[in-house]
Amino acid sequence: MHKLSRLSSSSILRNGGSRYRGVASSISSSTSQYDLTGVNDSNQSASRWFSSITTGRSNSSHSTPKFNLRNGFYLSNRYESTSAAASDATDSPPAEKFEYQAEVSRLMDLIVHSLYSNKEVFLRELISNASDALDKLRFLSVTDPGLMKESGELDIRVQTDKDNGIITITDSGIGMTREEIVDCLGTIAQSGTAKFLKALKDSKDSGSDNNLIGQFGVGFYSAFLVADRVVVSTKSPKSEKQYVWEGEANASSYTIREETDPEKLIPRGTRLTLYLKRDDKGFAHPERVQKLVKNYSQFVSFPIYTWQEKGHTKEVEVDEDPAEVKKEGDDSQTEKKKKTKTVVERYWDWELTNETKPLWLRNPKEVTTEEYNDFYKQTFNEYLEPLASSHFTTEGEVEFRSVLYVPAISPTGKDDITNPKTKNIRLYVKRVFISDDFDGELFPRYLSFVKGVVDSNDLPLNVSREILQESRIVRIMRKRLVRKAFDMILGIAMSENPEDYEKFWDNFGKNIKLGCIEDRENHKRLSPLLRFFSSQADEVMISLDEYVENMKPEQKDIYYIASDSLTSAQNAPFLEKLKEKEYEVLFLVDPIDEVAIQNLKSYKEKNFVDISKEDLDMGDKDEEKEKQVKQEFGVTCDWMKKRLGDKVASVQISNRLSSSPCVLVSGKFGWSANMERLMKAQSLGDTSSLDYMRGRRVLEINADHAIIKNLSVACKSSPDDQEALRAIDLLYNTALISSGFTPENPAELGGKIYEMMGMALSGKWSPAIEAEVIKQSNMINGSEAAIEAEVVPVEAGTGHK
């Protein structure tokens, strides 16, 4: 015999028979026009009975292959040739046939230890099985009312014994006959639910709401994630007897017996008893079970009851203290009141756990705003009402229902903007919770603040239902969810109450800006949501639509400047000419603003232009005048460039200044002053790239300013004058600061400013110290010439007394 390969194991998991998720039996030929169990096929029946129960040969009259029972029972009767037929069949030896052989203990080990990543999902799987059993009974009872003859409501009950580590799950569903136990529980990875749905489809009686859950056929075996031993006691209305299936985690066989204990008999349905492993007995705590049911099975259509400890208060009499009785004396005329105290009396009872109904399954026209808000608070444990909600159903090639919300405030930690995995989107498949831990599959990172539920019947999940498979369906779902989120946010922006969007922007404005960087496909949806201060609106933020409406007829571009604060942006020298022309300039004061605008590039065919960079075009160029100014100040520009050396790429005549003598602008493709400051502040930034990205700096001078005119005269008359050269240095360093850059040598700049102050203040208020000021000034300049100062005596009576 050949050992089972990994490929064969995968094939078995994919193409095996039924599973316990089909806890309700397949429809028999006596109750329906189609047959699911295969009992009429003697070959299939013999194979199942042989592989699951007996250890001998089948009694079937049909030819049955020989079995090797060395490694336990078989999962299927699949055969496959090990060699292909040769081109010449007469000369080739006959091909040998081998049977695939499954080591059941190994397969069970894979299911228990590799298929599921979280142990707590066992309860979700088993409750989903019970829900399928109830769904089948409800459906079949329409054509066969006799199935419901036994009393009892359609419900699921979970009882725990924390002292002994036992969990019991009971449903009043369809139950199983002996043959169906063999078919459903005796064969790993065979989905009874999938077979049931196929039969419904073939019979063309499926209807529109048969949302059975089980598809993969391994849900029942998730019980062995936490249990050493599992006992299944089941009673089908099609059988007079109740049977008990029992299996252990590490065994390759199981037992089936008839239930004879009258105390353990049930009218109809299935009871699962899990004897938990020593390390997993914590799952048997009533509060933990209740929490798991609320998390995973909150919206199952059948009521789920859990066995909970409760208490109520009552008054009881208290025995009087003999000392107090003696102290009061024997005054029989005094009426004595009996002393009582309040005590809590404990008792156990069933408690309905899934009270919240799936709101998304209802018609949006029938749901009130209060109901949406209550659902939001209960589902996401919020105390504030959401800013907006969106309830929609998507049909077509992808069908799902969803309810989305925009929270009123951002999370306390505000880490979600950089964390792609959030707990805000809860994914359900047929009302059963699957996961809320996604890595950007359903929502991009910048929309991680949006909360909601998504319920689909045909999502591409893996066998354990914990991982969302990447597929075209998921991409379509993501696109539609993102569009609905944008519509919801735009609705807030267009609401009659502007305070709602102000609240939204304060909390989630950075997320929208991050979207401009990460999501190029949705730039047209993101741009209208942006808000900025501007040179004409420094108290109230404006949108880009409002900016475009306020643009001058001759204005071609959208101007902006990035700075570290609103005050520094308002007083930047780059604004001078633009203010004169009444052109509005956007103030980007958030660190992420500049990168976001650079990624947008344009809005409504208007380009974004940084006014702090070279080659600023304001649409008013006078080439003749520029030519004259360049001829007049061309030599001065070259002289200043020679003095500054490599500090600047060039010195040019500015068209953006009106009151400042000069300004230092960045290269067209380099970092602005604001970006350079931000990159220097990065804790993990690469300082080696600063010099490269800093690019060229251009010193632009204002030809109409008095300082520049004086320097132009000095350039022509005495270009080597030290005072004039020091004035150029001071002019450059001052331009560094006013333009937003950081001086390379602040101490040197301070010394030059002190020198200029000393010269300006010399002898202005106290001529007596004029000589000392001049002396210190010469010491700073390094002058070797001795300067004699005339000391002017102060008249008596004019000094300080």
Side-chain angles (χ1 to χ4, degrees), residues 545-563:
D545 288 324
E546 292 174 314
Y547 182 97
V548 173
E549 291 177 2
N550 297 334
M551 287 177 63
K552 299 294 181 181
E554 67 275 10
Q555 185 178 346
K556 299 179 181 179
D557 302 315
I558 300 175
Y559 300 112
Y560 72 89
I561 181 172
S563 184

Side-chain angles (χ1 to χ4, degrees), residues 351-456:
E351 181 177 320
L352 181 61
T353 304
N354 58 336
E355 294 181 290
T356 307
K357 302 303 178 184
L359 186 72
W360 60 85
L361 297 180
R362 297 170 56 185
N363 188 338
K365 297 180 180 179
E366 300 175 355
V367 185
T368 64
T369 303
E370 290 74 15
E371 288 178 310
Y372 283 123
N373 295 343
D374 291 341
F375 179 81
Y376 169 76
K377 293 177 182 178
Q378 294 177 12
T379 305
F380 299 101
N381 296 322
E382 293 284 350
Y383 62 94
L384 294 177
E385 294 182 353
L387 288 177
S389 62
S390 177
H391 182 187
F392 59 94
T393 300
T394 301
E395 297 178 349
E397 57 181 334
V398 178
E399 185 173 342
F400 65 93
R401 299 171 183 266
S402 180
V403 180
L404 301 179
Y405 295 94
V406 174
I409 59 173
S410 60
T412 305
K414 296 186 178 181
D415 293 331
D416 287 346
I417 191 172
T418 57
N419 182 14
K421 290 188 176 183
T422 63
K423 303 290 185 180
N424 292 340
I425 300 299
R426 296 176 61 85
L427 175 64
Y428 293 82
V429 173
K430 300 173 184 176
R431 303 180 307 278
V432 175
F433 174 67
I434 300 300
S435 178
D436 59 1
D437 187 8
F438 299 109
D439 193 7
E441 291 95 344
L442 292 179
F443 264 96
R445 178 174 67 158
Y446 66 91
L447 288 178
S448 59
F449 62 90
V450 177
K451 297 185 177 183
V453 296
V454 179
D455 188 7
S456 176

Side-chain angles (χ1 to χ4, degrees), residues 629-644:
V629 174
K630 285 182 179 179
Q631 289 179 351
E632 182 180 354
F633 290 90
V635 178
T636 303
C637 292
D638 294 338
W639 174 60
M640 297 177 69
K641 172 63 177 71
K642 182 179 179 181
R643 173 63 180 178
L644 296 175

